[in-house]
C-alpha cells in the first residue's frame, strides 16, 4: 500500500496544511481547505474520498473539490464515504458560502455518490477493505483501517487515545495517527506524551504522526516513530 501525506497540520498553530493523506494515488482521507491546491501540486487524481469527521480542517475543501470537478466537466464516478449527515452538511455549506449558486440548477453535489459509514462495517474496494473505527472526539469521528493482501494501515482521524483506538492500533501494522500537541493531555485529541508508551510497546509497528501543531521533535528518537513532511510518500509492506 502506498500512502502520501499531502497535509500534516492541525487546525491551528501550525505551518502545515490540514491533515490529509492519499492512499494508492487515488483514495483521499479528509479534505482540508487547501485540498485542491495540494492535489494539483502532487499531480494526484482522486476517485474515492473518506471523511473522518465534519470539522472544517478536515471537510472545508470538499465543496471546492466538488465545484472544480463540476466546472471541469469531470464525469468520472466518485464515491465519498463519511459520517451520517455528510451530504446535508455539504449542501448547507454551499447555501451559506455561495449564496448566488443554485445547486439545484447546477448539480454540483450530484457529481459524487455519498455513502454513510458505520463503525465495524467494512467498505469493499478493488483490492482493499476499509473498516471504520469509532473515535472519541468533540463530534462523531471515525478512523479507518485500510487492509490489502499485504498489510494494514490505520488512519486515526481526530480522537483521544480511547479503547477503540488502542484496539485499532493492535489490529494494524502501520498508523497514520494524530499527535496534535507534544506534551500533557488534551480533551478530544492525542498528545505525543500519551502516545509514546504505545509506540514503544509496539516495536514492530510504524507510527506516522499527523495533525500536528508546531512543536520541537528534535528530542524524540524512536526508530518506529516518524514525522512525515508534506508530499512525502511511503510504501507500506509487512514482512
Ligand atoms: Zn476535529
Amino acid at each position: 500500500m502506498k500512502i502520501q501525506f499531502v497535509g500534516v497540520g492541525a487546525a491551528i498553530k501550525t505551518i502545515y496544511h490540514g491533515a490529509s493523506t492519499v492512499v494508492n494515488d487515488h483514495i483521499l482521507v479528509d479534505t482540508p481547505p487547501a485540498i485542491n491546491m495540494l492535489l494539483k501540486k502532487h499531480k494526484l487524481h482522486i476517485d474515492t474520498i473518506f471523511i473522518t469527521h465534519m470539522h472544517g480542517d478536515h471537510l472545508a475543501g470538499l465543496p471546492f473539490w466538488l465545484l472544480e470537478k463540476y466546472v471541469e466537466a469531470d464525469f468520472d464516478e466518485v464515491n465519498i464515504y463519511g459520517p451520517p449527515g455528510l451530504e446535508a452538511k455539504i449542501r448547507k455549506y454551499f447555501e451559506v458560502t455561495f449564496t448566488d449558486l443554485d445547486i439545484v440548477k447546477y448539480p454540483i453535489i450530484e457529481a459524487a455518490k455519498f455513502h454513510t459509514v458505520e463503525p465495524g462495517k467494512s467498505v469493499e474496494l478493488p483490492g482493499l477493505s476499509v473498516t471504520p473505527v469509532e473515535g472519541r472526539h468533540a463530534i462523531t469521528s471515525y478512523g479507518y483501517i485500510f487492509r490489502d493482501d499485504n498489510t494494514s494501515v490505520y488512519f486515526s482521524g481526530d480522537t483521544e487515545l480511547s479503547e477503540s483506538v488502542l484496539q485499532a492500533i493492535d489490529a494494524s501494522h502501520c498508523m497514520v495517527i494524530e499527535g496534535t500537541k507534544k506534551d500533557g493531555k488534551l480533551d478530544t485529541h492525542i498528545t505525543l506524551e500519551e502516545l509514546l508508551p504505545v509506540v514503544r510497546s509496539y516495536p514492530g509497528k510504524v507510527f506516522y504522526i499527523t495533525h500536528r501543531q508546531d512543536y520541537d521533535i528534535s528530542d524524540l528518537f524512536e526508530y518506529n516513530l516518524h514525522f512525515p513532511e508534506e508530499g512525502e510518500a511511503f510504501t507500506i509492506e509487512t514482512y
Side-chain angles (χ1 to χ4, degrees):
M1 202 184 305
K2 179 183 172 187
I3 58 173
Q4 184 167 15
F5 294 89
V6 292
V8 297
I12 53 167
K13 300 184 184 176
T14 181
I15 59 165
Y16 294 115
H17 297 98
S20 180
T21 315
V22 174
V23 178
N24 293 343
D25 298 323
H26 69 106
I27 306 170
L28 181 61
V29 181
D30 281 339
T31 51
I35 196 63
N36 285 2
M37 290 76 98
L38 294 168
L39 293 175
K40 276 184 187 55
K41 185 174 172 186
H42 302 297
K43 299 183 171 55
L44 291 159
H45 186 77
I46 299 301
D47 59 29
T48 308
I49 298 175
F50 285 85
I51 298 294
T52 60
H53 68 298
M54 297 194 284
H55 272 155
D57 55 320
H58 300 255
L59 186 67
L62 185 55
F64 293 91
W65 187 85
L66 288 165
L67 183 61
E68 183 158 326
K69 182 175 164 56
Y70 182 80
V71 170
E72 297 272 313
D74 172 359
F75 299 116
D76 290 357
E77 185 179 311
V78 168
N79 288 287
I80 302 176
Y81 300 88
L86 179 59
E87 184 176 350
K89 182 78 88 181
I90 297 301
R91 282 185 192 281
K92 193 93 193 156
Y93 191 101
F94 273 105
E95 276 170 37
V96 171
T97 62
F98 290 96
T99 47
D100 57 324
L101 197 62
D102 184 346
I103 59 169
V104 176
K105 192 170 165 196
Y106 304 105
I108 295 160
I109 292 165
E110 285 74 7
K113 276 190 196 148
F114 284 83
H115 309 268
T116 300
V117 299
E118 272 180 54
K121 260 192 141 179
S122 299
V123 174
E124 301 301 329
L125 304 174
L128 268 183
S129 173
V130 182
T131 310
V133 175
E134 185 97 59
R136 191 161 70 212
H137 193 46
I139 57 170
T140 300
S141 186
Y142 300 142
Y144 295 101
I145 302 176
F146 282 60
R147 293 186 179 88
D148 64 14
D149 289 343
N150 200 266
T151 193
S152 51
V153 180
Y154 167 50
F155 296 82
S156 74
D158 283 11
T159 182
E160 293 178 20
L161 201 55
S162 67
E163 194 53 43
S164 59
V165 170
L166 291 169
Q167 283 169 9
I169 292 171
D170 194 62
S172 307
H173 293 118
C174 169
M175 321 306 149
V176 173
I177 190 162
E178 75 127 296
T180 302
K181 275 179 72 175
K182 186 179 181 184
D183 300 314
K185 202 177 171 333
L186 265 180
D187 278 348
T188 74
H189 288 290
I190 298 172
T191 66
L192 266 292
E193 188 174 324
E194 293 173 286
L195 189 63
L196 275 175
V198 181
V199 172
R200 290 185 186 119
S201 71
Y202 287 110
K205 300 178 191 263
V206 182
F207 293 75
Y208 294 98
I209 307 300
T210 187
H211 200 271
R212 286 145 36 195
Q213 293 184 357
D214 293 337
Y215 46 73
D216 178 21
I217 58 169
S218 62
D219 59 340
L220 294 168
F221 295 109
E222 302 294 332
Y223 73 93
N224 60 336
L225 178 67
H226 300 284
F227 296 89
E229 287 296 321
E230 293 184 348
E232 263 196 285
F234 302 87
T235 301
I236 311 299
E237 287 173 16
T238 309
Y239 299 101

